[in-house]
Amino acid sequence: VQLVESGGDLVQAGGSLRLSCIASGFIFDDYAIAWFRQAPGKKREGVACFDNNDGMTYYMKGLPDRFTISSDSAKRTVYLQMNDVKPEDTGLYVCGIVASRGLLYAGWENIQKGAYGMDFWGRGTLVAVSS
């Protein structure tokens, strides 16, 4: 299994970024892929999740609609579009996979707050937003 993130950058507030998570080594449609964020000095938290089994999307409660998750199964890639970025969006963005049945069993809320573990993680891509 391999997850490779890209797209992170140093950007000014108000700009846009599209993060990519390219997946290999597993049956893509059997898994959900989620983006997590670890801000400096804070706990890792789930931002958004795309279930490739049924196309459902999940977002962290209170997440602004500036964030959109999408998936391209032909490219085996899940994207996180971030618009009008703000300094509080700064952090290491990491993608992880969880079996779709695991997401169904545990629920996004438990996965999002780390109460149910992901099956595999990428190494992350760094987003830094300057004011």
Side-chain angles (χ1 to χ4, degrees), residues 17-64:
L17 286 172
R18 188 175 78 159
L19 308 184
S20 300
C21 173
I22 301 175
S24 60
F26 59 94
I27 299 173
F28 193 75
D29 289 349
D30 285 350
Y31 284 82
I33 298 181
W35 283 100
F36 284 70
R37 173 176 66 200
Q38 186 152 19
K42 294 189 178 180
K43 187 181 171 184
R44 181 180 291 185
E45 58 183 358
V47 174
C49 180
F50 192 102
D51 188 343
N52 292 297
N53 184 253
D54 59 13
M56 291 285 290
T57 58
Y58 304 84
Y59 293 94
M60 179 173 66
K61 281 185 181 177
L63 188 72

Tab-separated table of all heavy atoms in Angstrom, residues 17-64:
chain	number	residue	atom	x	y	z
A	17	LEU	N	-5.531	26.140	-2.860
A	17	LEU	CA	-4.650	24.996	-3.014
A	17	LEU	C	-5.498	23.773	-3.325
A	17	LEU	O	-6.636	23.663	-2.848
A	17	LEU	CB	-3.863	24.719	-1.724
A	17	LEU	CG	-2.725	25.644	-1.343
A	17	LEU	CD1	-2.225	25.296	0.055
A	17	LEU	CD2	-1.584	25.547	-2.354
A	18	ARG	N	-4.937	22.855	-4.095
A	18	ARG	CA	-5.575	21.566	-4.282
A	18	ARG	C	-4.578	20.484	-3.890
A	18	ARG	O	-3.530	20.332	-4.521
A	18	ARG	CB	-6.039	21.344	-5.716
A	18	ARG	CG	-6.881	20.075	-5.846
A	18	ARG	CD	-7.460	19.876	-7.227
A	18	ARG	NE	-6.479	19.369	-8.165
A	18	ARG	CZ	-6.786	18.742	-9.303
A	18	ARG	NH1	-8.072	18.544	-9.621
A	18	ARG	NH2	-5.837	18.338	-10.122
A	19	LEU	N	-4.905	19.783	-2.828
A	19	LEU	CA	-4.059	18.694	-2.364
A	19	LEU	C	-4.476	17.403	-3.064
A	19	LEU	O	-5.657	17.170	-3.291
A	19	LEU	CB	-4.186	18.526	-0.853
A	19	LEU	CG	-3.981	19.775	0.002
A	19	LEU	CD1	-4.035	19.421	1.479
A	19	LEU	CD2	-2.679	20.476	-0.348
A	20	SER	N	-3.496	16.576	-3.375
A	20	SER	CA	-3.755	15.288	-4.034
A	20	SER	C	-3.210	14.156	-3.190
A	20	SER	O	-2.137	14.279	-2.596
A	20	SER	CB	-3.081	15.247	-5.412
A	20	SER	OG	-3.564	16.262	-6.257
A	21	CYS	N	-3.933	13.057	-3.180
A	21	CYS	CA	-3.488	11.831	-2.501
A	21	CYS	C	-3.600	10.706	-3.527
A	21	CYS	O	-4.712	10.288	-3.880
A	21	CYS	CB	-4.352	11.545	-1.287
A	21	CYS	SG	-4.012	9.953	-0.485
A	22	ILE	N	-2.454	10.253	-4.028
A	22	ILE	CA	-2.429	9.183	-5.037
A	22	ILE	C	-2.250	7.856	-4.311
A	22	ILE	O	-1.306	7.688	-3.538
A	22	ILE	CB	-1.306	9.409	-6.051
A	22	ILE	CG1	-1.489	10.757	-6.744
A	22	ILE	CG2	-1.296	8.283	-7.080
A	22	ILE	CD1	-0.358	11.123	-7.693
A	23	ALA	N	-3.160	6.928	-4.590
A	23	ALA	CA	-3.199	5.665	-3.852
A	23	ALA	C	-2.830	4.494	-4.740
A	23	ALA	O	-3.161	4.463	-5.928
A	23	ALA	CB	-4.592	5.459	-3.277
A	24	SER	N	-2.162	3.517	-4.154
A	24	SER	CA	-1.837	2.296	-4.886
A	24	SER	C	-1.737	1.132	-3.910
A	24	SER	O	-1.559	1.316	-2.706
A	24	SER	CB	-0.523	2.445	-5.668
A	24	SER	OG	0.550	2.722	-4.792
A	25	GLY	N	-1.863	-0.095	-4.458
A	25	GLY	CA	-1.637	-1.277	-3.644
A	25	GLY	C	-2.853	-1.853	-2.949
A	25	GLY	O	-2.704	-2.760	-2.117
A	26	PHE	N	-4.042	-1.361	-3.274
A	26	PHE	CA	-5.249	-1.911	-2.673
A	26	PHE	C	-6.412	-1.665	-3.619
A	26	PHE	O	-6.297	-0.910	-4.591
A	26	PHE	CB	-5.524	-1.284	-1.297
A	26	PHE	CG	-5.704	0.212	-1.325
A	26	PHE	CD1	-6.963	0.790	-1.419
A	26	PHE	CD2	-4.606	1.060	-1.254
A	26	PHE	CE1	-7.123	2.165	-1.444
A	26	PHE	CE2	-4.746	2.441	-1.282
A	26	PHE	CZ	-6.010	2.994	-1.385
A	27	ILE	N	-7.536	-2.325	-3.339
A	27	ILE	CA	-8.720	-2.159	-4.195
A	27	ILE	C	-9.369	-0.826	-3.852
A	27	ILE	O	-9.981	-0.668	-2.782
A	27	ILE	CB	-9.713	-3.323	-3.993
A	27	ILE	CG1	-9.031	-4.648	-4.365
A	27	ILE	CG2	-10.951	-3.120	-4.859
A	27	ILE	CD1	-9.854	-5.888	-4.060
A	28	PHE	N	-9.218	0.115	-4.749
A	28	PHE	CA	-9.598	1.515	-4.490
A	28	PHE	C	-11.053	1.628	-4.031
A	28	PHE	O	-11.350	2.345	-3.079
A	28	PHE	CB	-9.368	2.322	-5.773
A	28	PHE	CG	-9.404	3.808	-5.594
A	28	PHE	CD1	-8.356	4.492	-4.996
A	28	PHE	CD2	-10.479	4.539	-6.066
A	28	PHE	CE1	-8.382	5.860	-4.849
A	28	PHE	CE2	-10.525	5.910	-5.927
A	28	PHE	CZ	-9.475	6.574	-5.315
A	29	ASP	N	-11.948	0.915	-4.711
A	29	ASP	CA	-13.373	1.073	-4.429
A	29	ASP	C	-13.810	0.428	-3.117
A	29	ASP	O	-14.965	0.566	-2.715
A	29	ASP	CB	-14.195	0.502	-5.586
A	29	ASP	CG	-14.100	1.359	-6.839
A	29	ASP	OD1	-13.582	2.490	-6.751
A	29	ASP	OD2	-14.527	0.902	-7.911
A	30	ASP	N	-12.918	-0.282	-2.470
A	30	ASP	CA	-13.252	-0.909	-1.186
A	30	ASP	C	-12.886	-0.031	0.004
A	30	ASP	O	-13.119	-0.417	1.149
A	30	ASP	CB	-12.531	-2.254	-1.033
A	30	ASP	CG	-13.156	-3.348	-1.878
A	30	ASP	OD1	-14.256	-3.118	-2.442
A	30	ASP	OD2	-12.562	-4.438	-1.977
A	31	TYR	N	-12.329	1.130	-0.282
A	31	TYR	CA	-11.811	1.970	0.798
A	31	TYR	C	-12.312	3.399	0.719
A	31	TYR	O	-12.590	3.930	-0.355
A	31	TYR	CB	-10.280	1.985	0.775
A	31	TYR	CG	-9.679	0.713	1.321
A	31	TYR	CD1	-9.555	-0.408	0.514
A	31	TYR	CD2	-9.252	0.633	2.649
A	31	TYR	CE1	-9.031	-1.585	1.017
A	31	TYR	CE2	-8.727	-0.529	3.156
A	31	TYR	CZ	-8.618	-1.638	2.337
A	31	TYR	OH	-8.096	-2.794	2.846
A	32	ALA	N	-12.380	4.003	1.898
A	32	ALA	CA	-12.571	5.441	2.019
A	32	ALA	C	-11.199	6.071	2.244
A	32	ALA	O	-10.331	5.478	2.888
A	32	ALA	CB	-13.483	5.761	3.196
A	33	ILE	N	-11.019	7.247	1.690
A	33	ILE	CA	-9.770	7.993	1.875
A	33	ILE	C	-10.108	9.319	2.540
A	33	ILE	O	-11.001	10.040	2.090
A	33	ILE	CB	-9.049	8.224	0.537
A	33	ILE	CG1	-8.679	6.859	-0.085
A	33	ILE	CG2	-7.804	9.069	0.737
A	33	ILE	CD1	-7.941	6.951	-1.417
A	34	ALA	N	-9.406	9.599	3.598
A	34	ALA	CA	-9.680	10.808	4.375
A	34	ALA	C	-8.446	11.692	4.455
A	34	ALA	O	-7.309	11.210	4.440
A	34	ALA	CB	-10.132	10.428	5.786
A	35	TRP	N	-8.691	12.968	4.567
A	35	TRP	CA	-7.631	13.949	4.821
A	35	TRP	C	-7.696	14.352	6.292
A	35	TRP	O	-8.763	14.695	6.806
A	35	TRP	CB	-7.812	15.196	3.952
A	35	TRP	CG	-7.386	14.998	2.535
A	35	TRP	CD1	-8.180	14.742	1.453
A	35	TRP	CD2	-6.052	15.084	2.039
A	35	TRP	NE1	-7.425	14.639	0.314
A	35	TRP	CE2	-6.102	14.848	0.641
A	35	TRP	CE3	-4.808	15.322	2.629
A	35	TRP	CZ2	-4.966	14.861	-0.163
A	35	TRP	CZ3	-3.681	15.336	1.826
A	35	TRP	CH2	-3.770	15.101	0.451
A	36	PHE	N	-6.538	14.310	6.915
A	36	PHE	CA	-6.388	14.759	8.287
A	36	PHE	C	-5.431	15.946	8.303
A	36	PHE	O	-4.566	16.084	7.429
A	36	PHE	CB	-5.831	13.641	9.168
A	36	PHE	CG	-6.843	12.582	9.535
A	36	PHE	CD1	-7.307	11.710	8.573
A	36	PHE	CD2	-7.310	12.474	10.821
A	36	PHE	CE1	-8.243	10.736	8.898
A	36	PHE	CE2	-8.243	11.500	11.165
A	36	PHE	CZ	-8.710	10.628	10.198
A	37	ARG	N	-5.577	16.757	9.303
A	37	ARG	CA	-4.716	17.929	9.454
A	37	ARG	C	-4.107	17.920	10.856
A	37	ARG	O	-4.812	17.674	11.840
A	37	ARG	CB	-5.516	19.209	9.256
A	37	ARG	CG	-4.775	20.496	9.550
A	37	ARG	CD	-5.635	21.696	9.226
A	37	ARG	NE	-6.795	21.802	10.077
A	37	ARG	CZ	-7.883	22.508	9.777
A	37	ARG	NH1	-7.953	23.140	8.625
A	37	ARG	NH2	-8.906	22.567	10.605
A	38	GLN	N	-2.816	18.209	10.900
A	38	GLN	CA	-2.166	18.403	12.192
A	38	GLN	C	-1.568	19.784	12.215
A	38	GLN	O	-0.541	20.046	11.562
A	38	GLN	CB	-1.091	17.354	12.445
A	38	GLN	CG	-0.510	17.456	13.848
A	38	GLN	CD	0.010	16.136	14.368
A	38	GLN	OE1	0.276	15.208	13.607
A	38	GLN	NE2	0.151	16.048	15.676
A	39	ALA	N	-2.220	20.665	12.949
A	39	ALA	CA	-1.726	22.040	13.083
A	39	ALA	C	-0.635	22.055	14.144
A	39	ALA	O	-0.598	21.185	15.013
A	39	ALA	CB	-2.873	22.954	13.469
A	40	PRO	N	0.256	23.035	14.074
A	40	PRO	CA	1.341	23.124	15.059
A	40	PRO	C	0.809	23.105	16.483
A	40	PRO	O	-0.065	23.901	16.838
A	40	PRO	CB	2.009	24.460	14.724
A	40	PRO	CG	1.688	24.685	13.290
A	40	PRO	CD	0.336	24.109	13.070
A	41	GLY	N	1.289	22.175	17.304
A	41	GLY	CA	0.904	22.109	18.700
A	41	GLY	C	-0.473	21.540	18.963
A	41	GLY	O	-0.947	21.567	20.103
A	42	LYS	N	-1.118	21.028	17.923
A	42	LYS	CA	-2.472	20.499	18.098
A	42	LYS	C	-2.546	19.033	17.701
A	42	LYS	O	-1.686	18.508	16.999
A	42	LYS	CB	-3.467	21.319	17.285
A	42	LYS	CG	-3.622	22.747	17.771
A	42	LYS	CD	-4.770	23.443	17.073
A	42	LYS	CE	-4.958	24.840	17.600
A	42	LYS	NZ	-6.081	25.537	16.917
A	43	LYS	N	-3.609	18.396	18.129
A	43	LYS	CA	-3.841	17.000	17.804
A	43	LYS	C	-4.292	16.866	16.351
A	43	LYS	O	-4.945	17.755	15.805
A	43	LYS	CB	-4.937	16.462	18.744
A	43	LYS	CG	-5.208	14.996	18.664
A	43	LYS	CD	-6.328	14.633	19.637
A	43	LYS	CE	-6.780	13.205	19.432
A	43	LYS	NZ	-7.922	12.858	20.299
A	44	ARG	N	-3.927	15.741	15.739
A	44	ARG	CA	-4.378	15.468	14.379
A	44	ARG	C	-5.903	15.313	14.372
A	44	ARG	O	-6.473	14.644	15.236
A	44	ARG	CB	-3.717	14.192	13.869
A	44	ARG	CG	-4.103	13.819	12.454
A	44	ARG	CD	-3.406	12.548	11.998
A	44	ARG	NE	-1.979	12.756	11.818
A	44	ARG	CZ	-1.156	11.823	11.329
A	44	ARG	NH1	-1.632	10.638	11.001
A	44	ARG	NH2	0.114	12.074	11.187
A	45	GLU	N	-6.539	15.907	13.359
A	45	GLU	CA	-7.990	15.816	13.278
A	45	GLU	C	-8.413	15.564	11.838
A	45	GLU	O	-7.774	16.043	10.892
A	45	GLU	CB	-8.633	17.122	13.773
A	45	GLU	CG	-8.198	18.369	13.024
A	45	GLU	CD	-8.791	19.647	13.582
A	45	GLU	OE1	-9.588	19.580	14.538
A	45	GLU	OE2	-8.455	20.727	13.057
A	46	GLY	N	-9.481	14.808	11.696
A	46	GLY	CA	-9.984	14.518	10.367
A	46	GLY	C	-10.694	15.725	9.785
A	46	GLY	O	-11.504	16.346	10.462
A	47	VAL	N	-10.383	16.044	8.550
A	47	VAL	CA	-10.962	17.200	7.883
A	47	VAL	C	-12.098	16.771	6.967
A	47	VAL	O	-13.186	17.334	6.992
A	47	VAL	CB	-9.881	17.947	7.081
A	47	VAL	CG1	-10.487	19.075	6.262
A	47	VAL	CG2	-8.790	18.479	8.009
A	48	ALA	N	-11.848	15.770	6.127
A	48	ALA	CA	-12.851	15.334	5.155
A	48	ALA	C	-12.553	13.911	4.729
A	48	ALA	O	-11.408	13.463	4.798
A	48	ALA	CB	-12.861	16.252	3.939
A	49	CYS	N	-13.597	13.218	4.256
A	49	CYS	CA	-13.454	11.811	3.885
A	49	CYS	C	-14.311	11.527	2.656
A	49	CYS	O	-15.436	12.043	2.550
A	49	CYS	CB	-13.893	10.936	5.045
A	49	CYS	SG	-13.786	9.158	4.745
A	50	PHE	N	-13.770	10.712	1.744
A	50	PHE	CA	-14.521	10.299	0.561
A	50	PHE	C	-14.581	8.785	0.570
A	50	PHE	O	-13.540	8.123	0.560
A	50	PHE	CB	-13.843	10.791	-0.714
A	50	PHE	CG	-14.711	10.656	-1.939
A	50	PHE	CD1	-15.365	11.756	-2.465
A	50	PHE	CD2	-14.895	9.423	-2.569
A	50	PHE	CE1	-16.182	11.640	-3.585
A	50	PHE	CE2	-15.708	9.284	-3.682
A	50	PHE	CZ	-16.340	10.409	-4.190
A	51	ASP	N	-15.790	8.238	0.581
A	51	ASP	CA	-15.948	6.789	0.542
A	51	ASP	C	-16.057	6.363	-0.920
A	51	ASP	O	-17.074	6.631	-1.568
A	51	ASP	CB	-17.202	6.371	1.308
A	51	ASP	CG	-17.310	4.862	1.479
A	51	ASP	OD1	-16.604	4.138	0.753
A	51	ASP	OD2	-18.095	4.426	2.319
A	52	ASN	N	-15.022	5.711	-1.427
A	52	ASN	CA	-15.000	5.320	-2.835
A	52	ASN	C	-15.958	4.175	-3.128
A	52	ASN	O	-16.203	3.865	-4.299
A	52	ASN	CB	-13.585	4.927	-3.239
A	52	ASN	CG	-12.658	6.122	-3.238
A	52	ASN	OD1	-12.847	7.068	-3.994
A	52	ASN	ND2	-11.665	6.104	-2.364
A	53	ASN	N	-16.515	3.571	-2.098
A	53	ASN	CA	-17.464	2.476	-2.297
A	53	ASN	C	-18.827	2.984	-2.738
A	53	ASN	O	-19.464	2.393	-3.619
A	53	ASN	CB	-17.585	1.672	-1.013
A	53	ASN	CG	-18.494	0.458	-1.180
A	53	ASN	OD1	-19.614	0.424	-0.692
A	53	ASN	ND2	-18.022	-0.540	-1.902
A	54	ASP	N	-19.263	4.105	-2.128
A	54	ASP	CA	-20.597	4.611	-2.453
A	54	ASP	C	-20.626	6.090	-2.823
A	54	ASP	O	-21.700	6.646	-3.071
A	54	ASP	CB	-21.568	4.355	-1.288
A	54	ASP	CG	-21.128	5.010	0.008
A	54	ASP	OD1	-20.210	5.860	-0.019
A	54	ASP	OD2	-21.699	4.680	1.062
A	55	GLY	N	-19.476	6.737	-2.828
A	55	GLY	CA	-19.418	8.141	-3.226
A	55	GLY	C	-19.834	9.128	-2.154
A	55	GLY	O	-19.920	10.332	-2.425
A	56	MET	N	-20.055	8.645	-0.934
A	56	MET	CA	-20.458	9.561	0.135
A	56	MET	C	-19.263	10.406	0.575
A	56	MET	O	-18.118	9.932	0.575
A	56	MET	CB	-20.983	8.771	1.332
A	56	MET	CG	-22.305	8.071	1.076
A	56	MET	SD	-23.690	9.211	1.068
A	56	MET	CE	-23.762	9.666	2.804
A	57	THR	N	-19.557	11.635	0.979
A	57	THR	CA	-18.521	12.520	1.515
A	57	THR	C	-18.876	12.907	2.951
A	57	THR	O	-20.048	12.999	3.319
A	57	THR	CB	-18.364	13.783	0.663
A	57	THR	OG1	-19.628	14.463	0.597
A	57	THR	CG2	-17.904	13.449	-0.743
A	58	TYR	N	-17.843	13.122	3.727
A	58	TYR	CA	-17.995	13.473	5.135
A	58	TYR	C	-17.023	14.609	5.429
A	58	TYR	O	-15.900	14.628	4.923
A	58	TYR	CB	-17.652	12.279	6.034
A	58	TYR	CG	-18.450	11.041	5.739
A	58	TYR	CD1	-18.051	10.167	4.733
A	58	TYR	CD2	-19.609	10.751	6.445
A	58	TYR	CE1	-18.785	9.030	4.441
A	58	TYR	CE2	-20.353	9.607	6.165
A	58	TYR	CZ	-19.930	8.757	5.165
A	58	TYR	OH	-20.657	7.629	4.875
A	59	TYR	N	-17.468	15.534	6.268
A	59	TYR	CA	-16.635	16.672	6.643
A	59	TYR	C	-16.646	16.847	8.157
A	59	TYR	O	-17.608	16.500	8.835
A	59	TYR	CB	-17.149	17.944	5.977
A	59	TYR	CG	-16.996	17.959	4.474
A	59	TYR	CD1	-18.026	17.551	3.635
A	59	TYR	CD2	-15.801	18.379	3.889
A	59	TYR	CE1	-17.878	17.548	2.263
A	59	TYR	CE2	-15.647	18.384	2.503
A	59	TYR	CZ	-16.691	17.972	1.707
A	59	TYR	OH	-16.534	17.973	0.337
A	60	MET	N	-15.565	17.431	8.647
A	60	MET	CA	-15.483	17.771	10.054
A	60	MET	C	-16.596	18.775	10.370
A	60	MET	O	-16.842	19.695	9.579
A	60	MET	CB	-14.113	18.383	10.333
A	60	MET	CG	-13.889	18.819	11.755
A	60	MET	SD	-12.178	19.347	12.021
A	60	MET	CE	-12.102	20.798	10.989
A	61	LYS	N	-17.239	18.633	11.508
A	61	LYS	CA	-18.284	19.575	11.905
A	61	LYS	C	-17.676	20.966	12.012
A	61	LYS	O	-16.618	21.155	12.601
A	61	LYS	CB	-18.876	19.167	13.251
A	61	LYS	CG	-19.867	18.038	13.157
A	61	LYS	CD	-20.499	17.760	14.516
A	61	LYS	CE	-21.471	16.602	14.404
A	61	LYS	NZ	-22.067	16.242	15.713
A	62	GLY	N	-18.376	21.915	11.442
A	62	GLY	CA	-17.918	23.285	11.519
A	62	GLY	C	-16.894	23.659	10.460
A	62	GLY	O	-16.453	24.806	10.415
A	63	LEU	N	-16.524	22.697	9.609
A	63	LEU	CA	-15.548	23.007	8.564
A	63	LEU	C	-16.179	23.969	7.571
A	63	LEU	O	-17.278	23.733	7.076
A	63	LEU	CB	-15.121	21.734	7.847
A	63	LEU	CG	-13.979	21.879	6.858
A	63	LEU	CD1	-12.665	22.094	7.600
A	63	LEU	CD2	-13.889	20.657	5.960
A	64	PRO	N	-15.491	25.034	7.252
A	64	PRO	CA	-16.067	25.982	6.295
A	64	PRO	C	-16.268	25.333	4.924
A	64	PRO	O	-15.555	24.394	4.559
A	64	PRO	CB	-14.993	27.081	6.208
A	64	PRO	CG	-14.128	26.907	7.393
A	64	PRO	CD	-14.180	25.461	7.760
